[in-house]
Amino acid sequence: MVLFLLAGLAEIGGGYLVWLWLREGASYWYGVMGSLILVLYGIIPTLQTFPSFGRVYAAYGGVFIILAVLWGWGIDKKPPDLYDWIGSVICLIGVSVMLWAPRA
């Protein structure tokens, strides 16, 4: 789970820095740092022990949704509403099924 969280923070944090650079007029160093963090994001999933690339990235997608909702709340000061929380719980259930369902 630590790798999922690190990858999520790298993906969202790197993307946010690029957003600040291109959309908010921040220094180009924000874009450089965001891009380097996004490269790190590409490396982190290779450290997972799950054998399937597609399954790992699908699970990351669910984790990223939850982290994005929390990022929006903490950084952008946009509190999640009931539907954000319901969607996040559905994603977490989906991730759990994909990763830990018994398979033959």
Side-chain angles (χ1 to χ4, degrees):
M1 287 308 296
V2 170
L3 289 175
F4 281 105
L5 293 174
L6 286 175
L9 291 174
E11 192 247 353
I12 295 167
Y16 186 69
L17 290 175
V18 172
W19 174 281
L20 291 175
W21 167 49
L22 292 175
R23 298 282 302 260
E24 305 291 331
S27 165
Y28 75 94
W29 284 108
Y30 280 70
V32 171
M33 292 306 298
S35 297
L36 291 173
I37 292 169
L38 288 169
V39 169
L40 180 63
Y41 154 69
I43 294 169
I44 293 170
T46 67
L47 304 174
Q48 285 288 1
T49 58
F50 297 102
S52 169
F53 175 84
R55 191 171 290 145
V56 166
Y57 266 80
Y60 274 123
V63 172
F64 293 163
I65 289 168
I66 295 165
L67 288 174
V69 167
L70 294 174
W71 185 280
W73 189 8
I75 302 299
D76 288 335
K77 306 297 184 222
K78 304 289 184 199
D81 63 18
L82 175 64
Y83 298 104
D84 293 325
W85 289 121
I86 291 171
S88 295
V89 168
I90 291 169
C91 289
L92 188 58
I93 292 168
V95 166
S96 298
V97 169
M98 285 187 284
L99 291 180
W100 297 297
R103 293 187 167 86

